[in-house]
Amino acid sequence: MEVSFGRDRTPSRHPLTGHRSGRGTSLLNPRSAAGQVFLLQAVIVVLLVVAAVASLVLQAARDALRQGRRESLVAAQSFASAPGVVRALRGPDPTVVLQPKAEAARKKAGLDFVIALNTKGIRYTYPYPQEIGKKFVGNIKPALEGHTVIEQAGGPPLPAGRGTDVQAVVPVTDAHGKVVGLVSAGLTVRNVSQLWMPQLPITLGVGAVALALATAGTMLVARRLRRQTLGMAPAELAQMYEHHDAVLHAVREGVLIIDADTRLLLVNEEAKRLLKLPADARGRLVRELGLPDGITRLLTSPDAVTDEVRRAEDRLLAVNKRPTFPQAVGGGSVVTLRDTTELVAVSGRAETARERLKLLYEAGVRIGTTLDVGRTAQELADVAAPQFADLVTVDLLDSVLRGWEPTAEGWRRLRRAAIGGEQQMMPVYPMGEVINFSMGTPQMRTLQQGRGVLEADLRQARGWQEQDPDRARKALKRGLHSLVTVPLQARGVPLGVANFYRRRNSPAYEPEDLSFAEELAARAAVAIDNARRFTREHAMAVTLQRSLLPRGQPEQDALEVAWRYLPAEAGVGGDWFDVIPLPCARVALVMGDVVGHGLHAAATMGRLRTAVHNFSTLDLPVDEVLGNLDDLVVRMDKEESTGEAAEGHEGEGVTGATCLYAIYDPVAGECTMARAGHPDPVVVCRDGTVTRPDVPASAPLGLGGYPFETAELRLPEGSQLVLYTDGLVENRSRDIDTGLDDLRRALQEAGGSAPQDTCQAVLDALKPAHPSDDIALMVARTRLFPPSRVGEWDVPSDPAVVPSVRARCREKLHEWGMEESGFTTELILSELVTNAIRYGSPPVRVRLLHGRSLICEVSDGSSTSPRLRRAATTDEGGRGLFLVAQFAQRWGTRYTTGGKVIWAEQALHDGASAASGHTPADVLLEQFGDLT
C-alpha cells in the first residue's frame, strides 16, 4: 500500500536498526505476510509442474493414437490398391500369393499386421500362420459397402505384444467397383511413457527455477514494504491513519481521491455535502454517482485542473485536481472542492455587462453584411439567439420588404421576416406570413410608443394572449414565459418590430434587458433601412433595364431564339441583347455590355439599343453598324465629360462598351458578324460538337477611329449560335478561360436541346450563387428557307422581257397556291424590274421568298437608289414606286458588294396578300385624278 499523506522521517521516533534485526529470518515464518506469500507461491509452482506432466502424458497418448490411425489407413489403402491383389483374391489359393506380400508390406511399413480377408471376414494372411483361416475380429460391414473403417479392437496375439490395437479396414474393388475382398492393417499403440519421460527433467527444472524466482521476489517485496513503512509497526501505522483521517474530515474543503479506473477511493464529509453524494459513494465509479455532466467529465479526465469553476445544482465550485503521489502514469488523482457561489454572485453582474458588450460588438460585425432586407433581419435573429433569447422573431412592414417608404397605415400588417433560436419547439407564425396585430398587443404598443415593451410574465400578458389564444396557449405550455418587444426604427421611421422570447430554463427579462434589446434593435434597424433603400434603388434600376430589353419574340422565319437575363446583386449593369428582323427574311442578333453599373449604365444601354435599331433599319453592313455605334459612344463620352452633365451623376462619363452584331440569312445559311471587344460566340452543331468560330477581335466601342473586321460563317440548319456577356463566364472566383471551358461542357451536355432548355442548362451550370455582374445569354437555332419556297431567275436587261417576268411570277404563285395575290405581286415585280432595267445596270436578278410574308427582290449592279415622289398630273412616269409603296407592307433598298437590292414585302393572311381596301384599278385611277 502507498500512503500519500505526510510522514515523519525523524530517525529518533522510528529507529530503523531496531526494526530491521531478525527480519531476514521471518521470510519462512508462516505467520508473516512474506512467509504466507512464499508458501502460496510454492504451492502454485508445484501444481503447475503436476499439471504440465499430466498434460505431457495425455498429449503423448493422443499423438501416438493419431499417428497409428494414419499409418494404418495408408498401409491398408496401399496394399488394397496394389497390382495383383484383386486377381489373387479371386484365385484358387489367395494365401499362397498374398501371405508373402502382406508380410513384406508389414515389415516395410513398420506395422504389426497386414491382413487380407474375403468378403465373409476369413483371414488369408496373418503374421502367425496358425491364425490364417480364422474369423477376423472387427467391424467389416461398412467396408463391404465400399467405406473405410478405422477402429480400436483386440484380437489374436501380435508381435508387438499387448496394447491398444488400431486397425483400418478398406475394401478391395475390381474394375467394375465390386468389392471382392478386404484389407486390414494396424499396429499396437505402445507405452507412451517413452514419449514424455525425456521431457520430465525439463519440466521439473522449470518448476525449480520458478520456485527460486518466487523466493527472491518475496524477499524483495518484504524489503520494499519495510522501506515504504520506514520500519513502523502496524500500531504506529494505525495511529498515523487516525490522525490524518481526523484532519481530512475537519477541513472546510472537499477532498476526493480517485484511482486510475475513476473509482472513488476516499471522500471527506465536506465533499459529500457539496456534491450531495450518497453514503455508499466510496468504492463506486464516479460516473455512477449521478453528478452533473461537467463535474463528471472533470473528475474522470486525466488532466490537471487549477481553480476551474463548475456548477453543481445551485452551487458554483472551484475545483483543483492533481495526480497522486508518486506521480505515475495512470496513478489516480486528488481533487479539492471549494464553494465559490457567493463570490460568483457578486461578480455575476460585471460578467453579464461584459457579455452584453461582446454581443453588441458581434452584432455590429455580423448584422448588415449584405444589402438584402430579409437576410439582414435573419442576421439579427441569429445574433440574439441563443445568447440573449431562446426564440427571436423579426416582423417587418410589407413596404420595407419591397423597398418602399414605410407608412403608419401599414403598421397592423407585418410580415414575418426572420426566426431564430428554438423555432421548431414553439408554435410561432411561419416565415413569410402576414400578421395582423391587434391594438392591445405588445408589438402594436411598441410601434405606437416608439420604445420597447417588457412582458416579464407572459401568463399575465392579456394583449399578447388575445392576439391568437390557441397559439399562445400552446406556447405557454411549451415553456415560453417572458418577452421583450422593441421597435425597429431608423431615421425616425418605424420599419417593424423584433421580439425576444425566453423559455422556462432561462430567467425572466428585467428592465436592464429591455435597454439592451433597444440598443441591439437600433443597430440592426440602420442596417435594415440601408438594405431597404438599396432594394428600392435596385428595383428601380432593374425595372428600367428590363423595360429597355426585349419583352417578346419578334415575328421572323430565320431563327428559333431564347434568352435569359439575370441582374447583378449589387446593382444592375448595362448588358443588353436584341433580335431585329431585317428585310429579305434576314435577322440581326445583338449582344452588348456597357461598362459600369446602376441607372446610368442602364440608361446608356437603352440609348445604344435604340441606336442599333435605327442603324439596322438602314440595313447597313455589320462593320458599319459597329462603326456608327463607336462614334455614338465617343460623342456620349464627350457630352458626359464636359459641362455640368456629369455633376451629381452616377458614373462620371461613359468609359466604353462592348458589342457583337451578327446578321443571319436563312436563304443562304450564312451568318456575318463582327465584335467590338466582346467575348467570342459559340456554335453548337447538330451532332453536339461545340466550336468557337474565328471572329476577329476589334477594339471596344468608345475608343474611336479603329476599324471593325467581319467574319462570314456558314451555319447548317439546326445549329445553335450562342451569344453571352462576360458575366456568365468570368467572376471573382473564376477566370475567363475556366468559364469558357465550363460553358463548352454545359453546351455539350445540353446537346441538341431546344434553345429554351439550352439556356436553362447553361445557367444551371455556370450561374454563380451571388452574381457580381449582369448575365445575358442568347441561344439561336438556325433555320433554312426550303428551296420550294424560293423562286429566283436572271432577267435580261431588256424592257421587252417584263411580261415574261410577270408570267413566271404568276406560275410560281400558282405553285404556292397564292393566286389571289397574283395581280398585286405582278404589279410590284414588274415595276421593280422595269426600274432596274431602265435605271440600273446588269446583271438583273429576281427572287421571290414565301415565308411569313411574301418578299419580292430585284437586284442589279448599280448603286443608285430609287426615290419615292408624287408625280404630277401631266407626268408620264414616276408612279411606279408609289404603287409599290401603296401595295407593299414595306419596301426599301439594300446595298451589296456588287450593287443593290430593291425589295418589297407583303403581309399574308390566309394565303393572300394584305392589300389596302381599294382595288388595284381604283388605286390606278386615283393617280390620274384631280389632286385638288
Side-chain angles (χ1 to χ4, degrees), residues 439-700:
M439 297 303 297
T441 58
Q443 290 81 1
M444 189 55 60
R445 286 159 47 202
T446 192
L447 282 174
Q448 292 175 339
Q449 298 172 8
R451 60 176 182 272
V453 174
L454 170 63
E455 295 286 357
D457 188 358
L458 287 177
R459 292 172 298 182
Q460 309 299 325
R462 300 300 178 191
W464 178 78
Q465 296 182 25
E466 291 173 357
Q467 170 67 26
D468 193 335
D470 183 60
R471 199 184 300 267
R473 182 173 61 257
K474 292 179 181 179
L476 293 174
K477 184 178 180 180
R478 296 186 182 182
L480 220 61
H481 72 96
S482 189
L483 165 67
V484 166
T485 179
V486 292
L488 295 170
Q489 54 185 5
R491 303 172 181 90
V493 178
L495 309 173
V497 295
N499 308 294
F500 305 94
Y501 294 91
R502 281 183 179 175
R503 298 185 64 199
R504 63 170 63 95
N505 297 330
S506 303
Y509 284 115
E510 299 178 354
E512 293 83 357
D513 298 318
L514 178 60
S515 301
F516 172 77
E518 290 177 337
E519 177 66 22
L520 183 63
R523 299 192 177 199
V526 175
I528 292 175
D529 190 55
N530 290 338
R532 176 192 67 82
R533 292 170 178 264
F534 171 80
T535 300
R536 180 188 61 187
E537 295 179 2
H538 184 70
M540 292 171 59
V542 170
T543 301
L544 172 61
Q545 188 173 35
R546 289 191 183 277
S547 67
L548 297 175
L549 291 175
R551 297 190 179 185
Q553 293 270 9
E555 293 185 356
Q556 46 87 23
D557 296 320
L559 299 168
E560 179 185 354
V561 185
W563 58 67
R564 293 289 189 276
Y565 170 74
L566 294 178
E569 284 190 351
V572 296
D575 293 11
W576 95 90
F577 54 90
D578 219 331
V579 179
I580 306 172
L582 297 179
C584 306
R586 296 169 303 135
V587 175
L589 299 178
V590 190
M591 181 68 69
D593 185 4
V594 175
V595 177
H597 292 84
L599 293 175
H600 182 60
T604 303
M605 177 271 291
R607 296 174 66 181
L608 294 181
R609 179 171 179 253
T610 302
V612 171
H613 269 273
N614 295 334
F615 298 146
S616 299
T617 302
L618 299 176
D619 208 353
L620 300 176
V622 292
D623 56 339
E624 293 187 22
V625 171
L626 292 183
N628 291 328
L629 281 178
D630 184 48
D631 295 339
L632 175 62
V633 173
V634 171
R635 289 196 302 271
M636 293 167 58
D637 196 6
K638 291 180 179 179
E639 292 174 359
E640 295 289 338
S641 303
T642 57
E644 299 180 356
E647 295 183 3
H649 205 287
E650 178 188 5
E652 297 288 333
V654 179
T655 57
T658 66
C659 182
L660 187 149
Y661 187 78
I663 296 178
Y664 175 70
D665 186 352
V667 178
E670 295 180 350
C671 182
T672 305
M673 63 178 66
R675 61 189 182 102
H678 204 79
D680 285 326
V682 178
V683 175
V684 183
C685 300
R686 297 186 63 176
D687 59 357
T689 305
V690 179
T691 60
R692 289 170 58 190
D694 185 15
V695 180
S698 302

Side-chain angles (χ1 to χ4, degrees), residues 208-287:
V209 172
L211 188 59
L213 292 176
T215 303
T218 303
M219 295 179 65
L220 292 175
V221 169
R223 293 180 60 186
R224 175 71 175 178
L225 288 174
R226 288 196 300 271
R227 187 165 57 251
Q228 290 294 328
T229 60
L230 298 179
M232 290 188 294
E236 293 175 314
L237 289 175
Q239 185 179 11
M240 179 179 291
Y241 174 78
E242 291 174 356
H243 292 167
H244 289 173
D245 189 63
V247 173
L248 180 67
H249 293 287
V251 296
R252 301 304 298 170
E253 191 171 86
V255 179
L256 303 95
I257 297 180
I258 303 170
D259 65 5
D261 297 328
T262 68
R263 190 176 300 275
L264 189 60
L265 300 180
L266 185 145
V267 57
N268 66 350
E269 297 299 326
E270 181 66 10
K272 290 182 179 179
R273 184 184 69 85
L274 295 177
L275 297 178
K276 296 183 180 180
L277 296 175
D280 60 344
R282 186 172 179 178
R284 294 171 59 182
L285 294 174
V286 172
R287 68 178 66 92

